Amino acid sequence: MTTPDKHTDKPAAAKRQRAKIRARAVNVYYGDKQALFQVALEVPHKQVTALIGPSGCGKSTFLRCINRMNDVIEGCRVEGELTIDGENVATLDPVALRARIGMVFQKPNPFPKSIYDNVAYGVRIHALAQNRKETDEIVRQSLARAGLEQEVASRLNDSATALSGGQQQRLCIARAIALQPDIILMDEPCSSLDPIATARIENLIAELSQNYTIVIVTHSMQQAARVSHRTVFFHLGRVVESGETTQIFTTPRRKQTERYITGRIG
Amino acid sequence: MKESRLRRRYRAERRYRFYGKAAIAFAVCFLFFFFVAIVSRALPAFSQHEVLLRVALPDNLLKNLSTAEGEDANISEGAARRMLDAALAQELGGGGSAHERRARRALLTPLAALDLKRRVENLSASSVSSLSPSLLLPSWSLSFALSSSSERFLRAQSGGEQVADPALSDMQRDMLTALDAKGLVAKRFNLAFFTRSDSRVPSAAGIRGALLGSLWALLIAFLLAFPLGVLTAVHLEEFAPRNRLSALIEVAIYNLAAVPSIVFGLLGLVVFLNWWQLPRSAPLTGGMVLALMTLPIVVVTARSALKAVPEGIRNAGLALGASHSQTVLHHVLPQAMPGILTGAIIGMARALGETAPLLMIGMVAFIAQAPATPLDPATTLPVQIFLWADHPDPAFSSRAAAAILVMLCFLVAMNAAAVLLRQAFERKRQR
Amino acid sequence: MLYASLATLFALAGLVFCLHAFARRHAFVKGKNGRIRRDAYSFPAASLTTGCIVAIASLLLLSLSLPLSLPLSLSSSLSVGVPSPFVLAGLCALFSACGVFAFVRFAPPSFPARAFVETVLRVLLLLSSTLAIATTLAIVASLLFETLRFFEEVSPSDFLFGLHWSPQTALFADDIGASGAFGSLPVVVGTLLITVIALLVAVPVGLFSAIYLVEFASSRTRAIVKPTLEVLSGIPTVVYGFFAALVLAPAVRTLGEALGLNVASESALAAGLVMGVMLIPFVSSLSDDALAAVPQDLRNASLALGATPSETAAKVVLPAAMPGVAAGVLLAFSRAVGETMIVVMAAGLAAKLTINPLDAPTTITVQIVTLLTGDQEFDSSKTLSAFALGMLLFCLTLVINAAALLATRRYGARYE
């Protein structure tokens, strides 16, 4: 298991500190109930940022704001400014936006189609390939990057639902990276998987972070410590503290953060 | 992301949503158009034009009535017709030739003479004196229904259109206009539609016989299908062991639900009429066929009602030492009864509208009398609609439309009752 | 007659009540060591059950052994060889009372009354459930019987593949076995023509309505529109037939003539259109269920990949719901094939082998109705041909429904 040691490499670190996603005064309401209060944070470029906090504190809600999946929920209202590469997401077209951002869900949700068709679906609707050969190449590459190619290369036409849980989740990751997104959002991707599958996905995340900006919501602090470069601690809809992972876990600035990390709350 | 492609995809999105809305709009518009068409066709059937005539009672009749005590007056149909002719001649003028008399009589319904005969026979001594203040002026003002061609002419005229109706001659049309101008023609609510049974004459045709036939058939269908359906459902849900017989029963019920209704009619024809020699055209036979058709619905709804009874009730009964049968009979079944009844009502509503199987067992004859028992020949409401719709006389097709409205009212009432029943018992359970 | 029946019913109810009370009293019996209680709760039920069994058995024996021409019918408003209902009721009451008394007198104290009652109950339940099987068997038997008699006179291949259907003329020409008089192919083609027109209306409208209601409509719209579509399924088919024959067929005819086409007065188009509208709720409601059963996860996955809601609906949700949708279409198909009243009122009687929707073909159900209503002997091959058609219809609908069931069972619910 590799630890992200990249911040010791100074020139690369300077390049990577550029903010990819920036949130300012984001408030989210479900009907009359407010779920997020004045959230402000920055997600740096090509690094893994973990959102941690007790359940129901708004981490998944914030994640869904980034690719505007909250629009799908009836009665949900998002206020404030959330920019990606300087552009406010509220002004962008959601369909185009979601093609630039990949999302992996808590429970693997492959389509009841073949493995090939699952990965090729996004490619086809956004017309990223001109012909069958190009699609094949994209599918192969995505499966390879997701670490699934060797296992399924011989049975691409089999149903995706026949794969194991861990394989299905990697398929969902392959499906997302087939669109060559800039950002990958992961909402507790390992919570329904066994430890070995979890380990494989965490390795995958480390590899992917070299090319993609990753935001991961996780319940497990150990996972956050293992996998991320930056961590943001949420509590009851507010950002309590955000900073470099090692700093948060060894010398947290806020009392609440310390209480959560040592297990007294959440 | 190419802009043009994105725009195309959004255009496709809008088109897709439009198709969905268009489909729904199509269905709703049809429904609306459908009701308007039926109601507009049915409206003429609810009113009946009548003409007021002064009928002179013949002298010998008056003498009979004034002298005898409580004796009914009896006249022949011919005599009644002559009285009618005299009244018409007095009002309309014109010659006394047989042709002209027939032309005048044709303005009224063909049953006018019989109607008059009946009304005279219902007279008694006391009512005669109340008719006219003195015996010097023995005349009686009565209303007679007009024939359907006369009605058509008057309706068209009041609607402002000129109808060249081949059934009426020019002379007849002038006579009608004259009567109308004198104010002797009135439009009254067609009560005969509800109080009389089928007839060859539209003005005397009503749905009473068909309604009673339907009610008898539904009653018998309910009495047969409800107990048998509930018992089957209880067996399948509570007692049936997992063996091939139970699987066979389930398959049989699924099949029965899918069999076209006309095949049930064929079954009724062969088994009920041919093998068992039950009376043809009777609500009993019709009810039995309808019971077989409603059985699958009752079974399916009863099963889901039984499944919905909470486990706790079963456990409580068993824990108190009641046997399985006793728990089911005393606790589960009463708890599920509202749901079962709802399903039965919905099944009955569907049976009310069934026509095809009843045609097969002969309920398609012309029945002019309401059935007194379930064994008398009868017809049902949907069959009556079918028979009247086929008739060339438009007065009958408008009566068919009116009968449709009556049937739809019954259906709405039954479905509403089922929904209310379900809601009432759900509320009771929550309390 | 009505009052007499009601009086008899009340009398019988009173009798049952008295017998019950009597049996209850005798549930307690003196034994050697004081009073022994004979399962007092179930004892009356057991005694009444015995009484019923005795009554039914005796009446059966009576009806089988005695000739029915005996003067048992006191007031006959029936022309059937069954004794008057009052005599029947009286005999019933007498036998059941005898049964109750015999039970009370002769049943030993250790008789397991509850077990007895429950066994009888279970048998009763089983018997009533087998009625469903009995009915299916009766349908098959009655149809098969008559069809086989028909096939004695007309060969099956002539019937199934013959191109000429005119049962009336066959009788007149007195050459019943002549090939061509009972060829059912034109009738089947006519049925299929009207069915296809109906499905062309019902499937797009029903499917698109269901997709719109499940994927795009707000819950308020759904709550209003869904019951409205259900209203369409509650209208009896004779009403649809009335509408088709008296409103739509003339309209289609005038429209066709205005366009210069030759339209029959009972065109397949009019009948098919109305039948299609009748089938809309079938397709729409079953598709709705199938679409709503697709888990939200799949939609989220598709939307997160940047698909528009309509792309999600068309490429992810609909294929996933396809077995249920297909089953709905197949059921609508079988309903259309078996539909009678709309076509009897709005379609033609002459069997023409045609696929022109402006013509007036006849269907299987219309032929069955015309051949069997009216006066005719039961044995003529004309009426028997109706049964052969009925058998054909039954087999056809059975196959289609089996296909629908297979589609849901084998291909449904594979989301795990």
Side-chain angles (χ1 to χ4, degrees):
Chain A
M1 233 178 296
T2 54
T3 25
D5 239 287
K6 287 110 185 148
H7 47 275
T8 54
D9 187 351
K10 284 240 166 33
K15 177 175 152 202
R16 283 197 195 94
Q17 293 301 330
R18 187 170 87 230
K20 181 76 175 170
I21 307 173
R22 189 172 283 146
R24 271 203 239 289
V26 172
N27 292 299
V28 177
Y29 301 85
Y30 287 119
D32 293 327
K33 196 163 101 68
Q34 187 165 4
L36 287 180
F37 299 82
Q38 300 288 106
V39 169
L41 56 82
E42 284 179 14
V43 173
H45 189 56
K46 285 200 180 159
Q47 284 190 8
V48 180
T49 305
L51 307 181
I52 61 170
S55 11
C57 64
K59 322 187 284 289
S60 300
T61 309
F62 180 74
L63 200 73
R64 283 198 303 270
C65 288
I66 300 177
N67 68 349
R68 288 183 63 178
M69 280 298 279
N70 275 332
D71 293 0
V72 175
I73 299 175
E74 233 178 278
C76 188
R77 206 171 70 240
V78 177
E79 288 170 10
E81 190 190 322
L82 205 148
T83 57
I84 298 181
D85 284 339
E87 291 175 308
N88 192 336
V89 297
T91 60
L92 295 173
D93 175 62
V95 168
L97 177 68
R98 291 180 196 142
R100 286 167 47 190
I101 304 177
M103 191 166 202
V104 178
F105 295 84
Q106 189 170 344
K107 191 161 105 59
N109 51 8
F111 301 129
K113 300 176 197 261
S114 67
I115 297 172
Y116 183 92
D117 284 333
N118 262 279
V119 184
Y121 176 74
V123 176
R124 287 191 185 125
I125 54 170
H126 295 296
L128 296 175
Q130 303 257 19
N131 52 36
R132 175 82 190 204
K133 228 172 59 139
E134 283 184 31
T135 317
D136 285 351
E137 184 56 30
I138 295 178
V139 168
R140 198 196 57 76
Q141 259 182 29
S142 314
L143 287 171
R145 284 214 201 114
L148 198 57
E149 192 192 6
Q150 277 176 333
E151 291 166 51
V152 302
S154 57
R155 44 186 180 123
L156 285 178
N157 284 324
D158 285 356
S159 171
T161 47
L163 297 172
S164 75
Q167 288 172 323
Q168 284 186 4
Q169 195 66 302
R170 276 179 285 150
L171 177 64
C172 294
I173 296 176
R175 183 174 67 185
I177 51 185
L179 299 181
Q180 289 152 25
D182 303 326
I183 304 169
I184 301 180
L185 306 175
M186 297 191 175
D187 191 351
E188 302 193 36
C190 304
S191 61
S192 59
L193 303 177
D194 63 82
I196 296 187
T198 302
R200 290 191 71 165
I201 298 218
E202 287 182 5
N203 277 340
L204 186 58
I205 293 176
E207 280 173 43
L208 291 172
S209 70
Q210 295 180 25
N211 296 309
Y212 305 94
T213 306
I214 301 182
V215 184
I216 174 169
V217 166
T218 177
H219 249 133
S220 155
M221 286 178 293
Q222 293 85 347
Q223 186 174 78
R226 281 194 297 269
V227 154
S228 65
H229 301 98
R230 282 184 69 84
T231 302
V232 180
F233 172 53
F234 275 80
H235 187 55
L236 296 178
R238 281 169 225 271
V239 172
V240 175
E241 188 175 341
S242 90
E244 301 245 341
T245 302
T246 39
Q247 178 257 304
I248 295 257
F249 281 100
T250 50
T251 50
R253 282 196 296 268
R254 308 285 295 273
K255 210 71 169 113
Q256 252 182 329
T257 318
E258 189 188 333
R259 295 222 307 271
Y260 177 68
I261 288 171
T262 53
R264 260 177 247 150
I265 53 169
Chain B
M1 176 84 15
K2 287 204 224 39
E3 274 306 302
S4 60
R5 186 175 160 85
L6 196 63
R7 244 179 295 140
R8 237 185 307 141
R9 287 168 64 197
Y10 271 118
R11 260 208 304 270
E13 166 90 8
R14 274 195 296 273
R15 241 183 304 141
Y16 215 79
R17 281 187 203 241
F18 173 71
Y19 291 152
K21 280 190 266 210
I24 295 178
F26 173 78
V28 172
C29 280
F30 175 88
L31 207 58
F32 178 71
F33 177 49
F34 171 86
F35 275 115
V36 164
I38 300 238
V39 169
S40 68
R41 237 163 247 270
L43 281 177
F46 285 115
S47 59
Q48 175 73 45
H49 283 93
E50 291 182 333
V51 66
L52 194 66
L53 294 174
R54 264 194 303 241
V55 177
L57 295 165
D59 293 331
N60 54 343
L61 188 65
L62 278 175
K63 267 198 220 91
N64 268 344
L65 286 172
S66 52
T67 53
E69 277 114 11
E71 204 181 86
D72 296 325
N74 282 318
I75 57 169
S76 70
E77 190 177 336
R81 212 178 316 134
R82 281 192 291 276
M83 287 163 67
L84 208 56
D85 284 336
L88 281 166
Q90 190 191 23
E91 206 58 60
L92 291 166
S97 72
H99 167 74
E100 286 175 324
R101 264 184 285 135
R102 244 195 314 253
R104 284 194 294 263
R105 233 181 302 135
L107 294 177
L108 303 177
T109 164
L111 295 176
L114 260 168
D115 192 21
L116 179 59
K117 172 172 146 70
R118 219 178 299 131
R119 281 196 246 197
V120 168
E121 283 170 3
N122 284 338
L123 283 178
S124 62
S126 51
S127 48
V128 165
S129 48
S130 68
L131 283 175
S132 53
S134 79
L135 286 173
L136 292 171
L137 294 163
S139 71
W140 194 9
S141 286
L142 287 174
S143 289
F144 291 98
L146 291 177
S147 70
S148 54
S149 32
S150 312
E151 278 213 286
R152 229 178 315 155
F153 173 74
L154 284 172
R155 278 187 223 271
Q157 209 184 39
S158 63
E161 17 172 306
Q162 281 296 89
V163 169
D165 198 333
L168 294 176
S169 68
D170 285 327
M171 180 176 66
Q172 285 174 313
R173 266 176 277 189
D174 291 336
M175 287 197 271
L176 276 174
T177 322
L179 282 172
D180 198 15
K182 281 199 223 176
L184 291 171
V185 175
K187 210 156 79 150
R188 225 152 274 165
F189 181 70
N190 185 10
L191 199 63
F193 184 70
F194 294 101
T195 55
R196 305 188 64 156
S197 302
D198 200 5
S199 158
R200 298 208 192 276
V201 173
S203 61
I207 53 172
R208 183 163 169 268
L211 263 180
L212 281 174
S214 270
L215 283 170
W216 276 121
L218 279 186
L219 183 69
I220 291 176
F222 182 78
L223 288 177
L224 287 174
F226 188 73
L228 288 172
V230 172
L231 288 175
T232 308
V234 168
H235 173 82
L236 286 174
E237 261 318 290
E238 304 285 336
F239 294 107
R242 291 220 155 281
N243 57 14
R244 290 188 53 191
L245 185 62
S246 309
L248 206 62
I249 296 176
E250 302 219 12
V251 167
I253 292 185
Y254 176 77
N255 279 335
L256 277 184
V259 168
S261 55
I262 196 170
V263 174
F264 282 105
L266 290 175
L267 171 72
L269 186 60
V270 173
V271 175
F272 296 154
L273 293 186
N274 226 27
W275 292 356
W276 293 358
Q277 294 286 325
L278 288 177
R280 205 180 157 86
S281 298
L284 176 71
T285 329
M288 287 170 78
V289 174
L290 289 177
L292 287 179
M293 289 177 59
T294 325
L295 195 67
I297 304 175
V298 176
V299 171
V300 168
T301 42
R303 281 188 81 177
S304 55
L306 286 168
K307 261 198 261 258
V309 174
E311 265 307 297
I313 295 190
R314 270 178 251 257
N315 289 338
L318 291 169
L320 283 171
S323 70
H324 191 192
S325 310
Q326 284 174 332
T327 316
V328 170
L329 232 66
H330 300 161
H331 304 293
V332 179
L333 200 56
Q335 183 83 351
M337 201 43 90
I340 299 178
L341 275 174
T342 312
I345 294 178
I346 293 179
M348 286 297 118
R350 207 168 301 179
L352 175 63
E354 280 299 336
T355 327
L358 301 177
L359 293 182
M360 297 281 94
I361 58 159
M363 288 181 101
V364 73
F366 172 77
I367 312 280
Q369 273 176 324
T373 72
L375 299 159
D376 292 335
T379 185
T380 58
L381 203 50
V383 174
Q384 186 72 84
I385 294 171
F386 169 67
L387 290 172
W388 279 346
D390 238 356
H391 215 277
D393 191 342
F396 272 119
S397 54
S398 74
R399 271 159 180 76
I404 288 177
L405 286 183
V406 171
M407 186 164 69
L408 287 178
C409 284
F410 270 106
L411 288 175
V412 166
M414 286 169 95
N415 278 306
V419 169
L420 284 173
L421 193 72
R422 198 188 302 158
Q423 281 180 351
F425 280 99
E426 263 171 26
R427 243 179 293 130
K428 189 170 157 203
R429 202 175 299 159
Q430 276 166 13
R431 249 190 288 133
Chain C
M1 170 78 176
L2 187 67
Y3 298 122
S5 319
L6 282 175
T8 320
L9 270 166
F10 275 120
L12 281 174
L15 179 72
V16 170
F17 184 73
C18 292
L19 288 174
H20 186 269
F22 173 75
R24 182 87 86 63
R25 202 156 45 92
H26 285 266
F28 295 87
V29 148
K30 251 193 247 181
K32 275 184 259 181
N33 318 333
R35 291 186 74 162
I36 308 172
R37 202 188 62 172
R38 278 200 280 203
D39 194 351
Y41 183 72
S42 303
F43 190 80
S47 65
L48 285 174
T49 315
T50 318
C52 288
I53 295 178
V54 169
I56 293 174
S58 326
L59 283 173
L60 273 173
L61 279 172
L62 221 73
S63 62
L64 288 174
S65 57
L66 293 179
L68 289 174
S69 57
L70 271 187
L72 281 176
S73 42
L74 294 174
S75 72
S76 38
S77 54
L78 324 166
S79 50
V80 193
V82 174
S84 145
F86 299 121
V87 174
L88 268 181
L91 283 174
C92 247
L94 182 67
F95 288 128
S96 54
C98 289
V100 171
F101 280 109
F103 183 81
V104 167
R105 173 74 178 77
F106 293 117
S110 57
F111 185 78
R114 188 173 57 79
F116 174 67
V117 171
E118 289 184 0
T119 317
V120 171
L121 188 69
R122 301 273 262 268
V123 169
L124 192 67
L125 287 174
L126 186 66
L127 280 178
S128 54
S129 324
T130 52
L131 181 69
I133 303 181
T135 313
T136 318
L137 285 176
I139 293 179
V140 172
S142 54
L143 286 178
L144 202 61
F145 193 57
E146 307 292 339
T147 311
L148 287 175
R149 275 166 67 190
F150 175 71
F151 282 151
E152 281 168 19
E153 303 185 11
V154 177
S155 77
S157 58
D158 273 345
F159 175 68
L160 288 173
F161 304 114
L163 290 175
H164 189 53
W165 177 267
S166 53
Q168 328 281 346
T169 58
L171 228 52
F172 289 145
D174 207 10
D175 57 339
I176 297 164
S179 72
F182 287 105
S184 66
L185 214 56
V187 185
V188 174
V189 168
T191 311
L192 287 176
L193 177 64
I194 296 187
T195 305
V196 164
I197 297 176
L199 286 179
L200 280 175
V201 170
V203 173
V205 175
L207 194 55
F208 271 107
S209 316
I211 292 178
Y212 186 82
L213 284 177
V214 174
E215 304 290 324
F216 301 117
S218 67
S219 46
R220 206 167 17 123
T221 318
R222 200 176 139 83
I224 300 176
V225 173
K226 208 158 183 262
T228 315
L229 287 180
E230 307 261 313
V231 171
L232 280 175
S233 72
I235 300 177
T237 52
V238 68
V239 178
Y240 276 116
F242 177 88
F243 183 78
L246 270 77
V247 178
L248 203 63
V252 166
R253 182 132 192 252
T254 33
L255 184 69
E257 279 171 5
L259 291 172
L261 301 163
N262 184 20
V263 184
S265 61
E266 298 174 311
S267 56
L269 191 61
L273 275 174
V274 173
M275 203 191 287
V277 175
M278 179 199 72
L279 292 174
I280 289 175
F282 273 89
V283 178
S284 137
S285 146
L286 284 164
S287 305
D288 193 297
D289 289 343
L291 288 166
V294 174
Q296 186 63 21
D297 284 351
L298 291 178
R299 292 191 188 85
N300 283 343
S302 177
L303 287 170
L305 284 170
T308 61
S310 65
E311 285 168 352
T312 307
K315 297 188 188 178
V316 174
V317 182
L318 189 59
M322 201 44 95
V325 171
V329 173
L330 282 173
L331 279 170
F333 183 55
S334 99
R335 189 84 174 70
V337 164
E339 174 48 44
T340 315
M341 290 323 292
I342 299 181
V343 278
V344 163
M345 293 170 88
L349 288 174
K352 284 200 315 192
L353 189 61
T354 170
I355 53 169
N356 178 6
L358 301 174
D359 257 335
T362 191
T363 71
I364 299 178
T365 44
V366 169
Q367 286 304 305
I368 296 177
V369 170
T370 36
L371 288 172
L372 288 177
T373 50
D375 296 315
Q376 66 275 328
E377 335 154 351
F378 210 73
D379 288 351
S380 68
S381 53
K382 197 168 77 163
T383 43
L384 290 178
S385 66
F387 285 101
L389 281 178
M391 191 69 183
L392 183 64
L393 182 67
F394 181 68
C395 294
L396 214 63
T397 43
L398 213 64
V399 164
I400 299 170
N401 285 306
L405 190 63
L406 264 177
T408 30
R409 289 256 178 97
R410 198 187 293 182
Y411 299 110
R414 43 180 175 65
Y415 306 126
E416 317 85 46

